[in-house]
Amino acid sequence: MTKSILIIGACGQIGTELTLALREKYGDVNVIASDIREGTDVLMKSGPFEILDATNYDALEDIVMHYEVEEVYLMAAMLSATAEKFPERAWTLNMNSLFNTLNLAKEKKIDKLFWPSSIAVFGSNTPKEQTPQHTLMEPSTVYGISKQTGERWCAYYHAKYGVDVRSVRFPGLISWKTQPGGGTTDYAVEIYVKALEKGSYSCFLKKGTKLPMMFMDDAIRAAIELMESDGAKLSIRSSYNLGAMSFAPEEIAESIQAVIPTFTISYNPDFRQAIADSWPSSIDDSQARKDWGWSPEFDLARTTAEMLENLR
Ligand code: VAH
């Protein structure tokens, strides 16, 4: 019997590609996409879709009961840069959507939940290189605070109620199918678009700002592999560190110049520089590799090739 899966926030940067990948794997009709607004034509044409405000428990429960949903991927959130502009709205969306899904699992209305955390849970006094799975975490952004608190609630609901919730701390994600929205790492997507459009890019982070990054195909595979792994082997129910590569803006520029020699980059840091400065430079994801066999497949050169080829 194929499982019934609900994606909340299916029109976002991760949600769009996650929905298409899950439909490919489990069949279009078994994967229900939902979001506060409609998404890309490709997404909307590929299977069932419901308009859903993830902070509305009754509306969420109706969809879960109607489609007999067994697994939920909760991808709806307000990201770091936007959350600094609307702190209360960010907290409400990021936390109430999580409580709604954790409570559905507690009441046994769904069997399993995936919820993405982020490297944003770390702060300026966290060790920056090879940031450990367990370490000092004093996030200084609304988004990071909501993700750190969310991790604690996930661990609590697992320990107290046996909820099967699984999570990874995503680094900055690079994709071409959907524009990212409101993130500090979005420069790593914009740079490719501008390289093709204008041949130059004005970067909102300064040279030398090294951050953990990942190509979207790796991120989608990580979420699905974690959800399909043997729960008995999972020693972390807050959120797993997850890594793939780390680089600074000038390194992306160099990888683009290897393909487009005339490409130029300039640096004009804005308020997002302080956010990026509070985050790690690289991540120790050895616990994910040990517990459920994580292994990334995309490095910067392969990412640049994929981005330029598909955006062209
Ligand atoms: C953001 N893309 O920039 C997200 C992510 C690690 C960064 O959480 O807010």
Side-chain angles (χ1 to χ4, degrees):
M1 159 75 171
T2 49
K3 61 183 89 173
S4 174
I5 298 173
L6 171 65
I7 319 274
I8 302 172
C11 301
Q13 184 194 14
I14 306 174
T16 301
E17 300 208 36
L18 182 60
T19 301
L20 297 172
L22 288 168
R23 283 178 169 167
E24 176 83 22
K25 193 175 183 67
Y26 294 110
D28 296 349
V29 295
N30 300 310
V31 180
I32 299 90
S34 70
D35 207 310
I36 197 79
R37 66 181 66 81
E38 292 195 354
T40 61
D41 283 351
V42 170
L43 176 80
M44 298 304 288
K45 287 186 184 128
S46 66
F49 179 87
E50 296 284 348
I51 291 287
L52 170 65
D53 172 350
T55 64
N56 179 333
Y57 181 82
D58 293 339
L60 171 58
E61 188 186 38
D62 286 350
I63 289 175
V64 164
M65 305 318 274
H66 174 71
Y67 289 94
E68 297 178 347
V69 171
E70 295 157 79
E71 296 184 9
V72 171
Y73 287 76
L74 170 55
M75 310 312 289
M78 194 181 287
L79 298 184
S80 59
T82 310
E84 290 305 298
K85 295 174 185 168
F86 307 104
E88 291 77 12
R89 275 171 50 191
W91 182 260
T92 300
L93 170 59
N94 295 7
M95 299 316 297
N96 290 1
S97 59
L98 178 59
F99 280 123
N100 286 345
T101 43
L102 284 171
N103 286 328
L104 278 173
K106 176 186 167 192
E107 291 152 24
K108 309 282 186 246
K109 288 173 181 162
I110 58 172
D111 302 333
K112 206 185 280 188
L113 167 62
F114 177 83
W115 174 77
S117 183
S118 162
I119 59 163
V121 297
F122 301 117
S124 302
N125 53 10
T126 303
K128 278 209 176 294
E129 288 295 347
Q130 288 303 300
T131 300
Q133 176 69 46
H134 301 288
T135 185
L136 187 58
M137 295 163 67
E138 295 181 346
S140 52
T141 64
V142 173
Y143 175 70
I145 295 165
S146 77
K147 288 300 184 181
Q148 182 188 33
T149 314
E151 289 187 7
R152 298 324 315 148
W153 279 113
C154 289
Y156 181 89
Y157 267 71
H158 175 72
K160 190 96 174 173
Y161 309 118
V163 165
D164 189 358
V165 53
R166 304 176 185 201
S167 178
V168 294
R169 291 166 178 160
F170 280 129
L173 299 181
I174 300 173
S175 65
W176 54 271
K177 288 189 185 131
T178 317
Q179 287 301 314
T184 298
T185 57
D186 295 355
Y187 89 88
V189 174
E190 292 172 6
I191 189 168
Y192 291 105
V193 175
K194 295 299 182 199
L196 292 168
E197 269 176 14
K198 292 175 52 188
S200 65
Y201 179 59
S202 166
C203 186
F204 58 73
L205 296 182
K206 66 177 189 276
K207 192 171 184 174
T209 308
K210 182 179 165 192
L211 290 169
M213 292 283 186
M214 182 177 288
F215 187 59
M216 185 61 80
D217 288 21
D218 272 343
I220 300 303
R221 182 168 53 81
I224 295 172
E225 285 179 1
L226 176 56
M227 285 291 269
E228 291 186 335
S229 63
D230 175 0
K233 294 197 173 98
L234 303 182
S235 64
I236 301 291
R237 290 293 183 153
S238 49
S239 189
Y240 278 94
N241 277 8
L242 193 76
M245 50 187 163
S246 291
F247 50 71
E250 65 273 21
E251 293 173 84
I252 303 188
E254 284 155 23
S255 77
I256 293 172
Q257 284 157 350
V259 182
I260 308 172
T262 54
F263 172 69
T264 59
I265 184 170
S266 59
Y267 300 96
N268 301 284
D270 66 15
F271 75 99
R272 288 168 284 192
Q273 186 63 48
I275 296 174
D277 288 343
S278 72
W279 290 349
S281 299
S282 63
I283 297 290
D284 170 3
D285 60 1
S286 51
Q287 197 66 48
R289 292 168 186 260
K290 175 174 173 287
D291 287 3
W292 48 279
W294 168 244
S295 175
E297 293 174 2
F298 284 79
D299 61 8
L300 177 53
R302 195 172 167 206
T303 297
T304 294
E306 285 286 317
M307 289 296 283
L308 293 179
E309 186 183 310
N310 288 292
L311 284 169
R312 210 183 283 280

